[in-house]
Amino acid sequence: MASLRTAGPPPGPSRPEFWRSPLRGPWLTAVFGLVLLVGITVLFVTGLLSYAAYNPDLAAVNDQTPDKGWLGFYLFSWPTSPYWLYRVTQGVHVTLGVVLVPVLLAKLWSVIPKLFEWPPVRSVAHAIERLSLLLLVGGAGFEFVTGILNVQLHYIFPGSFYTLHFYGAWVFIGAFVVHVVFRLPRALRAVSARRGQPVAGTEEAAGLVSPRPAAPTISRRGAVGMVGLGSLALLVVTAGQSVGGRLRQTALLAPHGQDPGSGPNGFQINKTASSVGIRPSDIGPAWRLTVRGAGRQVDLTYDRLLALPQSESSLPIACVEGWSTPDQHWTGVRLTELAALVGLGANTPRVLVESVQRGGSFSSVVLRDNQARDTRSLLAVRVNGAVLSHDHGYPARVIVPGAPGVHNTKWVTRLTFGDPA
């Protein structure tokens, strides 16, 4: 180790004079770091809320993360009111994640000389710090890249996005907390200091100031402004997918490629009938809805389902990718009414909802009792006055206030109320 110090760094990025930008320094790094501190904290909290929205402790079908252990701690039973809760929390999570990309890249650019400092390891404590930095940078890159790919429905990862993003988040947030504990006091001092750039090589410079800076072409505050404009531009082309209305037209980064057409069924979809193996015979005249519970079973044809008392709800669809629809006007049979067919209507328990879909994830879900009892929770057969299209779940789909889109199961064929036998 001593010989590495005396020999000096090799030619290239390990030498301080290799990095010549006059902008790099504690103040710029601290500004970006403090913005990320606030932003990533909000991302983590909204991510935990998204996890809670799946009611992961309710059943294995709701959360198939392997070996999650104590990392899968459960926050609370996800409420059905306000009905737009998931639409807001997940919209904030995805939109903020995209908006923070320029800030993250700028922060990494500002500290890149630290990644090549020489010698690479000076002590055990320094080695631990370097490892945490590696996990921080790698974890941030992994979470942001996989999240953005998921927003675009571009599933090229080697495994389930849900599982990869879950474990990646815990690795990243662990390294993030360690980094904040050690660096926050220095960052606060850097932004509060009124003097200019510290001298290269001093402790105050923190290895970020170039000893041979090039002539400046922009000020440090100008650089912050440019990054802010980049984030603002991403906000403009992203937020519309969550806000909806006319702003939907500005959402250039929203998922595309699955045009639902116009008319009553002309709103966003992820899973089409063909993509999950739905055959005409699965949803044709032979289709039956089986309702089970309390040792009883009732089988309903489509016509018998339509003959039951019909109710209405105005609810949006909100998905993990951050997009959501405006409130759609749904018509169908309340889940409480279907539970009553097997003698459980007075105190409707949780319900296992199963689809006829043959492929893809979330072909079934367990809804908590508070979701099944909500009078707005329907087995919908119509939307906006029209029969459901095949891609929107014909002949029947679940619609539940506040639930993630994938829990509004389409092409429903079986409802099992209570604990299954």
Side-chain angles (χ1 to χ4, degrees):
M1 193 71 68
S3 61
L4 286 176
R5 287 198 185 97
T6 56
S14 294
R15 298 199 173 195
E17 59 271 17
F18 179 86
W19 306 100
R20 301 198 60 198
S21 173
L23 301 182
R24 288 193 182 94
W27 183 86
L28 190 68
T29 297
V31 168
F32 293 141
L34 291 174
V35 172
L36 288 173
L37 172 61
V38 175
I40 288 174
T41 300
V42 175
L43 284 180
F44 185 63
V45 171
T46 51
L48 288 178
L49 291 175
S50 179
Y51 182 68
Y54 283 75
N55 285 319
D57 73 333
L58 197 56
V61 295
N62 287 16
D63 180 16
Q64 300 181 24
T65 306
D67 304 319
K68 62 182 180 179
W70 64 269
L71 292 179
F73 71 90
Y74 189 59
L75 293 173
F76 51 83
S77 300
W78 191 250
T80 56
S81 292
Y83 71 90
W84 41 257
L85 180 61
Y86 187 76
R87 183 183 184 189
V88 171
T89 59
Q90 193 60 18
V92 169
H93 183 77
V94 170
T95 301
L96 181 59
V98 173
V99 166
L100 285 178
V101 167
V103 185
L104 177 66
L105 294 177
K107 174 66 159 59
L108 294 177
W109 173 86
S110 75
V111 299
I112 196 169
K114 298 287 289 182
L115 302 179
F116 295 93
E117 65 181 5
W118 191 266
V121 177
R122 295 192 295 267
S123 64
V124 173
H126 186 243
I128 294 174
E129 181 186 2
R130 299 283 285 175
L131 177 61
S132 70
L133 185 62
L134 176 65
L135 294 176
L136 179 70
V137 174
F142 181 82
E143 287 298 284
F144 277 81
V145 169
T146 55
I148 291 171
L149 288 174
N150 182 64
V151 168
Q152 295 300 313
L153 307 178
H154 195 42
Y155 303 116
I156 60 173
F157 355 90
S160 166
F161 162 78
Y162 187 88
T163 301
L164 293 172
H165 207 65
F166 176 87
Y167 281 114
W170 283 113
V171 171
F172 169 61
I173 206 64
F176 180 73
V177 170
V178 171
H179 187 74
V180 169
V181 167
F182 283 102
R183 297 299 183 188
L184 182 58
R186 176 180 287 181
L188 293 175
R189 288 196 302 270
V191 296
S192 62
R194 295 185 178 275
R195 52 187 176 275
Q197 194 86 302
V199 177
T202 62
E203 182 179 353
E204 191 180 13
L208 300 173
V209 179
S210 173
R212 193 165 61 90
T217 57
I218 189 174
S219 68
R220 291 191 293 276
R221 285 178 172 79
V224 171
M226 285 183 58
V227 173
L229 286 175
S231 291
L232 180 61
L234 288 176
L235 175 65
V236 170
V237 298
T238 304
Q241 69 170 341
S242 302
V243 177
R246 292 185 177 180
L247 288 177
R248 178 78 186 176
Q249 299 174 5
T250 69
L252 302 182
L253 296 185
H256 296 285
Q258 295 180 358
D259 184 6
S262 58
N265 281 273
F267 53 94
Q268 178 71 34
I269 54 174
N270 270 8
K271 293 190 296 187
T272 62
S274 61
S275 71
V276 292
I278 301 295
R279 301 178 304 190
S281 59
D282 295 327
I283 55 178
W287 174 87
R288 296 291 183 273
L289 173 69
T290 299
V291 183
R292 294 173 177 172
R296 298 170 62 181
Q297 176 173 314
V298 175
D299 295 309
L300 301 174
T301 63
Y302 185 65
D303 288 339
R304 284 189 63 192
L305 179 63
L306 295 181
L308 294 175
Q310 302 289 302
S311 300
E312 299 178 346
S313 293
S314 292
L315 298 170
I317 297 289
C319 274
V320 70
E321 294 86 8
W323 65 261
S324 58
T325 73
D327 292 356
Q328 307 297 322
H329 191 71
W330 306 91
T331 304
V333 183
R334 288 175 176 167
L335 295 185
T336 53
E337 296 280 354
L338 293 166
L341 296 178
V342 290
L344 295 172
N347 199 23
T348 306
R350 69 181 191 173
V351 56
L352 169 64
V353 183
E354 297 175 85
S355 171
V356 298
Q357 75 175 65
R358 300 174 181 276
S361 56
F362 293 101
S363 60
S364 60
V365 67
V366 175
L367 301 175
R368 195 173 285 278
D369 53 4
N370 67 311
Q371 295 175 310
R373 292 172 188 172
D374 195 297
T375 56
R376 296 166 295 181
S377 297
L378 304 178
L379 184 68
V381 293
R382 300 176 70 85
V383 62
N384 300 321
V387 175
L388 292 171
S389 68
H390 287 187
D391 287 339
H392 277 302
Y394 175 86
R397 69 171 295 164
V398 163
I399 183 72
V400 177
V406 291
H407 279 195
N408 292 301
T409 307
K410 298 191 282 190
W411 313 290
V412 174
T413 188
R414 187 178 295 113
L415 299 172
T416 304
F417 290 92
D419 295 323

